[in-house]
Amino acid sequence: MTKTAIYPGSFDPFTLGHLDIVNRAKTIFDKIYIAIGENGSKKNLFTAKERKLQIEEIFKDDPAITVMIFNDLLVDFARQVNVFTVIRGLRAVSDFEYEFLMASTNRAMEPEIESVFFMTSDRYSFLSSSIVKEVASKNGTYLSHFVTPNVEKALREKFRPM
Ligand code: ADP
C-alpha cells in the first residue's frame, strides 16, 4: 500500500528548513503532496504559481513529490485528493501552540485527519520564510545558507534595486 501525505504551507518562499522536513518525511511516506496554501488574507512575496514553479524545480527529479495549490480549507483539499495524513514541521516550542490549534481544528472538522510532526535539524531551527525575506531585502549575500539556488535567484530578482 502506498503511504501518501500532504505537506501544506505558505512556502513563501520554500526554505532549506522545509526541504529538511520533506526529506525526513520521505523516510516514512512514499508520496508527498506539497500543497501551497493560497491564503487571501496573507500578503505573500511570491504568487502561488511562482512558488509552485520554484518547488517543482527543486523536486524535478523526484517522482515522490507532487506540488499543488489549494484555495480551500485544508480539510476540503484533503477530501478532494483523498489523503488524510498531514505533515507539519516543528522548530521551537513556540511552534507548538499554533500547530496544536491547527491540528485540533482540522480534526474537529474532519475526524479522519491525522497530523504528523517532524522536528527539524538544529541548524534550521531558527529558519523561517519571514527571516529569509528579511535577509533578502537587506543583502542577498547570505541567502545560500537558507534556500536552494533557484529560490535564491528568484529572491535576488524580487529585491533587485530598480
Ligand atoms: P504556514 O503559513 O502554513 O505556517 P510555512 O511555509 O511557514 O506555512 O510552514 C509550513 C510548515 O513548515 C509549518 O509546519 C512550519 O512549522 C514548518 N516549517 C517552516 N520552517 C521550518 C523549519 N525551518 N524547520 C522545520 N519546519 C519548518
Side-chain angles (χ1 to χ4, degrees):
M1 210 177 88
T2 312
K3 283 185 283 178
T4 308
I6 302 169
Y7 180 27
S10 309
F11 308 118
D12 185 47
F14 194 89
T15 69
L16 296 182
H18 293 129
L19 182 60
D20 183 68
I21 296 300
V22 171
N23 286 332
R24 286 171 194 286
K26 273 175 57 184
T27 64
I28 293 176
F29 297 101
D30 309 303
K31 244 195 127 5
I32 297 169
Y33 294 149
I34 298 181
I36 304 164
E38 175 106 274
N39 188 340
S41 65
K42 228 174 169 178
K43 182 134 180 36
N44 292 306
L45 179 66
F46 294 104
T47 65
K49 203 153 172 224
E50 285 173 323
R51 285 175 272 159
K52 182 168 186 273
L53 290 173
Q54 289 161 7
I55 302 171
E56 276 173 346
E57 168 70 20
I58 296 167
F59 295 102
K60 63 177 185 300
D61 298 319
D62 190 342
I65 307 296
T66 306
V67 188
M68 298 167 114
I69 295 173
F70 73 106
N71 310 286
D72 333 311
L73 286 173
L74 179 59
V75 290
D76 292 327
F77 177 74
R79 289 188 192 117
Q80 218 176 297
V81 293
N82 201 30
V83 174
F84 294 92
T85 308
V86 174
I87 294 166
R88 295 285 289 177
L90 283 179
R91 285 161 292 192
V93 183
S94 49
D95 274 343
F96 177 79
E97 206 161 328
Y98 177 70
E99 294 298 338
F100 179 74
L101 198 116
M102 287 305 296
S104 308
T105 309
N106 287 332
R107 188 183 272 167
M109 293 185 284
E110 172 53 71
E112 242 197 273
I113 286 257
E114 205 57 73
S115 301
V116 179
F117 298 93
F118 289 89
M119 268 172 63
T120 187
S121 315
D122 292 347
R123 68 182 201 275
Y124 299 130
S125 59
F126 64 91
L127 188 54
S128 67
S129 299
S130 325
I131 291 278
V132 165
K133 283 180 276 195
E134 183 67 22
V135 171
S137 71
K138 304 280 192 308
N139 180 345
T141 314
Y142 304 102
L143 285 174
S144 61
H145 297 260
F146 308 135
V147 295
T148 56
N150 69 314
V151 172
E152 177 180 354
K153 186 162 166 271
L155 281 164
R156 281 176 192 273
E157 274 163 19
K158 273 281 181 212
F159 287 105
R160 197 169 38 206
M162 291 298 181

